[in-house]
Amino acid sequence: MTDRPARMNKSFSGSLLMSTRRFLRLSGLCALTALILRIIMFAEVMKTDSFVCAPSAITDMATYQTLSDQILHGELPPEFEYQPFYYAVFLPLAKLIFQSDFVSIGLSQSICAALIVWFAGLSAALLHSRAAGLMTALLCTFSQLLFFYVPYALIEIQQCLWFTLLLYLLLRYSGTGKMKFATASGLILSFAILSRGNAWCFLPVMLYAFHRVSVKYHTPWKKRVITLAVFAAAVILPQMPFAVYNTIQTGSLSGPSTAGPAVLTIGNNPEAAPGSLVIPYPPTYEEWMNHQETCSIPQRILQWFCEEPAAFLIHQAEKVLLFFDRTELYNNVNPEYNAVSSRIFHTCGIIPTGILIAFCAAGFVLFLMRRRHHTGEQILHAMICLYAPATAAFYILARFRVPAIGLFCVGGGIFTASVFQLRKFDVRTVLRRILLPVLAGVLAVNFFFGIYRPIYESPLMRKARPHGVRLLTEEGTALIHDNSPFYNNSWLSCPITPATEVVKRFDTSMIPGAETYQNAVLQLTFVCAKSYNFLVQCNGKTFPVVIDAPRTLTPGEVATINAGIGPMEVPADFTFRLTFPGASSQNDLPQLAVDPYRNYERTLINGETLGAEAVITLKLRKE
């Protein structure tokens, strides 16, 4: 390995061959352009999107706004449940500086976005060349999500700045060995951790950088100890006030946030979706959270792993694949409903995250092809490779990937510049240096998860979890279902008529004493476009069902709504036969939700296997 940074080829001519002064001017112009465009976008959106000034009370935005206002007025929360930096430090400071509750968000986050452009460009220049730095700055400037999240009170833009600045400081430290950069990187890591706890994943990268610097500069052991002590203090001390406050308030040793168990449970239970946020939370989440005094959340997750190791590992692998997929799983805000009035966003936010990841993945392939690696390149790719599973440790949302966009842009900018700097374009060079890396990037973003899910998920889960999902509650109730969680419109709809017979069988072989349960309740899930009032006949007994749409649905919009029927006697074979009498036409009935990503052959429609499983949950009670 070598620590000598790559240099531009002498043959690389034209406008991309530039002096340091010209590079800094062009990078500064990109950052200034990014700032102006985002301020204009914020001004456009603030007039038309209520989520900027008055977000829904159930969103994180409303929570952050409320908490920051309370802190500004000297009212501390009972405990810092969420990681506190954004709402306890960043937002209050922005409101004090700009003297506005709402304008401060757009202005401060526009400045953050401009700084991301600046530091990402500098990082790429340090790693590769000034051309790569300029390419990176342009990618950041026109990144779609670095536009979209600017007007909204969410931590993503601020966290992206911390990650990008951390990379820059580590590169400076690797190149100079100066303690000031080590200290600054520790402070930035602390701010990132205080914004979202998974930033701890960068600690191994930083320790590796310290090791490389120590070897490179033959640092005496005393100075190594001092450097590590100063770095540790920079990481820990900013977190201490919040940790001490939480410890005092809760009466037990606590960190700067107390929301860890809830967040871990959302993404790491047998009913959890690898992506999106399923509302309402599944029964497993409620059961685990309500009984933490008898079994902690880490113990629950470990128990699940021990019971279903294959299913657990598949779930984690799905989340990692989804992290690199082009699919955007929006939460709190969505470009289809928010920011629709911004011409700047739709005109200039032209680079989706999928393209940035594809370019970065192509650069990673080139990185692996080389035998000699610059330490800075190792730092960049290690940060990305560690952040993916650190995010997957929870669950995947579009906004959880935004903090890494600066890193993606650096990797993509380096790859783009390396293509322009090729000295020759013979078949072998083009294949190795362009086509194969690009193909790998395109496959990672467009096909890995897209091929896996419809083709391989169902047979894999049939082997890994042959009995379906089961939950035994502390109250003695058993819940069983065969479907996967609903996210990204993953369920389909099956038309039903008065002549339709649905036979659903459940596997209760793993439920202790299943034969002792006396009462059964079925929870059916329907895909609806309006409210319904109809009958369901189950095992010879008729039940009325009323479905009220939660709101007026727009034309073409559907909702998945649950309807319970029962209680009823438990059949000996745990098989339920359902018919839907009393309707004069197909339009008088909703459609039954079915899951194409599970196939245990335990659902029959009119006597034929469906090739999917009906979304029906069996609830067993002993009384």
Side-chain angles (χ1 to χ4, degrees):
M1 290 186 297
T2 178
D3 284 318
R4 184 176 63 188
R7 296 178 180 177
M8 287 198 305
N9 294 325
K10 297 294 184 182
S11 61
F12 184 62
S13 58
S15 60
L16 293 180
L17 255 179
M18 64 194 82
S19 65
T20 299
R21 181 175 297 178
R22 186 182 180 195
F23 164 69
L24 293 176
R25 286 177 178 173
L26 290 174
S27 295
L29 180 61
C30 287
L32 180 61
T33 301
L35 174 64
I36 294 172
L37 292 177
R38 283 156 177 80
I39 290 176
I40 295 173
M41 177 202 166
F42 170 68
E44 291 176 332
V45 173
M46 187 174 64
K47 297 177 182 178
T48 57
D49 189 358
S50 62
F51 274 60
V52 175
C53 299
S56 169
I58 64 172
T59 63
D60 293 339
M61 297 177 289
T63 302
Y64 295 151
Q65 287 276 44
T66 301
L67 289 171
S68 65
D69 289 340
Q70 290 174 352
I71 289 171
L72 269 177
H73 290 89
E75 302 175 17
L76 294 179
E79 62 187 57
F80 290 106
E81 182 180 3
Y82 306 97
Q83 292 287 4
F85 191 92
Y86 184 72
Y87 63 83
V89 180
F90 181 82
L91 284 185
L93 281 177
K95 292 177 180 180
L96 285 174
I97 293 171
F98 295 107
Q99 294 295 305
S100 169
D101 284 344
F102 305 111
V103 173
S104 60
I105 297 171
L107 292 179
S108 61
Q109 295 187 165
S110 294
I111 293 171
C112 287
L115 290 174
I116 292 167
V117 172
W118 176 253
F119 286 114
L122 292 181
S123 298
L126 289 171
L127 280 171
H128 189 270
S129 63
R130 301 183 189 100
L134 186 58
M135 293 290 186
T136 297
L138 289 171
L139 290 175
C140 284
T141 299
F142 298 103
S143 165
Q144 185 180 71
L145 295 193
L146 284 186
F147 265 100
F148 176 63
Y149 282 99
V150 162
Y152 304 103
L154 294 167
I155 75 166
E156 318 315 322
I157 300 296
Q158 174 221 253
Q159 188 76 328
C160 184
L161 174 60
W162 297 148
F163 287 9
T164 309
L165 184 53
L166 180 61
L167 172 64
Y168 171 76
L169 291 171
L170 287 176
L171 295 179
R172 291 300 305 272
Y173 179 64
S174 297
T176 64
K178 293 182 178 180
M179 185 180 290
K180 64 179 181 180
F181 293 117
T183 306
S185 66
L187 282 173
I188 296 303
L189 177 62
S190 184
F191 297 160
I193 292 169
L194 283 170
S195 299
R196 187 170 286 146
N198 62 352
W200 276 111
C201 69
F202 298 132
L203 184 61
V205 182
M206 302 179 76
L207 294 177
Y208 174 74
F210 296 151
H211 167 71
R212 293 295 300 159
V213 168
S214 299
V215 172
K216 177 181 178 181
Y217 293 102
H218 306 287
T219 308
W221 70 269
K222 289 184 178 180
K223 187 176 180 180
R224 296 186 189 187
V225 172
I226 292 173
T227 301
L228 283 175
V230 171
F231 165 74
V235 173
I236 295 172
L237 289 179
Q239 301 183 57
M240 288 302 295
F242 303 103
V244 170
Y245 181 83
N246 277 349
T247 299
I248 294 173
Q249 293 296 105
T250 61
S252 60
L253 185 63
S254 178
S257 165
T258 61
V263 177
L264 280 172
T265 305
I266 291 173
N268 294 282
N269 70 77
E271 295 185 282
S276 193
L277 189 58
V278 180
I279 301 294
Y281 297 140
T284 302
Y285 172 86
E286 302 294 343
E287 178 69 14
W288 286 14
M289 290 299 296
N290 291 337
H291 298 93
Q292 293 187 68
E293 67 282 355
T294 58
C295 188
S296 68
I297 298 305
Q299 287 177 311
R300 295 275 194 182
I301 296 173
L302 180 60
Q303 287 177 1
W304 176 36
F305 170 71
C306 294
E307 292 172 0
E308 297 182 322
F312 178 88
L313 293 175
I314 289 172
H315 180 63
Q316 305 305 321
E318 285 179 350
K319 290 190 284 185
V320 174
L321 285 177
L322 194 55
F323 179 89
F324 293 106
D325 192 76
R326 66 186 178 89
T327 304
E328 299 284 16
L329 299 172
Y330 291 104
N331 171 257
N332 276 237
V333 286
N334 189 321
E336 294 184 8
Y337 309 105
N338 307 96
V340 292
S341 62
S342 173
R343 294 182 180 179
I344 290 294
F345 170 63
H346 293 288
T347 303
C348 298
I350 57 175
I351 307 180
T353 305
I355 290 179
L356 299 177
I357 296 175
F359 281 4
C360 185
F364 181 63
V365 172
L366 285 182
F367 167 79
L368 294 177
M369 286 181 176
R370 291 197 299 271
R371 295 181 180 179
R372 298 166 67 87
H373 296 143
H374 177 230
T375 299
E377 292 177 301
Q378 295 173 334
I379 290 173
L380 168 66
H381 294 297
M383 288 180 70
I384 295 172
C385 290
L386 287 174
Y387 183 66
T391 305
F394 302 103
Y395 49 96
I396 304 302
L397 294 175
R399 61 189 179 98
F400 289 177
R401 299 194 301 186
V402 172
I405 284 181
L407 308 180
F408 294 147
C409 288
V410 173
I414 290 173
F415 170 75
T416 307
S418 68
V419 171
F420 282 108
Q421 292 175 358
L422 289 176
R423 294 183 178 181
K424 56 182 179 179
F425 285 87
D426 58 81
V427 174
R428 185 172 183 272
T429 301
V430 171
L431 180 65
R432 283 174 49 86
R433 301 296 298 275
I434 301 177
L435 293 183
L436 283 179
V438 168
L439 178 62
V442 170
L443 286 174
V445 169
N446 291 282
F447 297 107
F448 284 176
F449 188 79
I451 289 176
Y452 157 77
R453 189 152 203 235
I455 298 177
Y456 298 108
E457 181 175 335
S458 180
L460 279 175
M461 290 305 296
R462 186 172 180 173
K463 292 182 178 180
R465 182 181 283 161
H467 309 286
V469 178
R470 61 195 182 278
L471 170 65
L472 298 176
T473 70
E474 295 284 342
E475 291 74 24
T477 300
L479 288 89
I480 312 166
H481 63 78
D482 291 327
N483 57 276
S484 65
F486 176 76
Y487 73 101
N488 199 31
N489 299 317
S490 57
W491 294 342
L492 302 178
S493 57
C494 177
I496 52 178
T497 69
T500 301
E501 181 188 54
V502 178
V503 177
K504 176 61 188 170
R505 180 175 61 86
F506 293 92
D507 183 347
T508 60
S509 59
M510 299 301 293
I511 302 294
E515 67 281 356
T516 63
Y517 288 90
Q518 299 176 359
N519 292 322
V521 174
L522 287 185
Q523 179 178 287
L524 285 65
T525 302
F526 295 98
V527 178
C528 307
K530 60 180 182 178
S531 297
Y532 292 90
N533 188 342
F534 60 100
L535 299 175
V536 176
Q537 193 172 76
C538 181
N539 292 350
K541 190 174 181 179
T542 302
F543 301 91
V545 174
V546 177
I547 293 180
D548 291 321
R551 54 187 168 79
T552 302
L553 301 174
T554 58
E557 184 183 5
V558 296
T560 55
I561 301 177
N562 298 325
I565 61 171
M568 67 188 80
E569 293 183 2
V570 181
D573 57 357
F574 294 95
T575 299
F576 297 83
R577 291 168 172 79
L578 302 109
T579 56
F580 305 87
S584 58
S585 69
Q586 181 174 334
N587 293 331
D588 292 334
L589 292 173
Q591 296 187 331
L592 185 66
V594 295
D595 180 10
Y597 301 107
R598 296 291 184 272
N599 181 18
Y600 297 102
E601 297 185 351
R602 292 199 281 261
T603 298
L604 301 177
I605 303 291
N606 293 331
E608 297 181 359
T609 57
L610 189 59
E613 292 297 332
V615 183
I616 302 176
T617 298
L618 170 63
K619 183 182 295 185
L620 296 173
R621 296 173 180 169
K622 292 187 177 181
E623 296 182 356

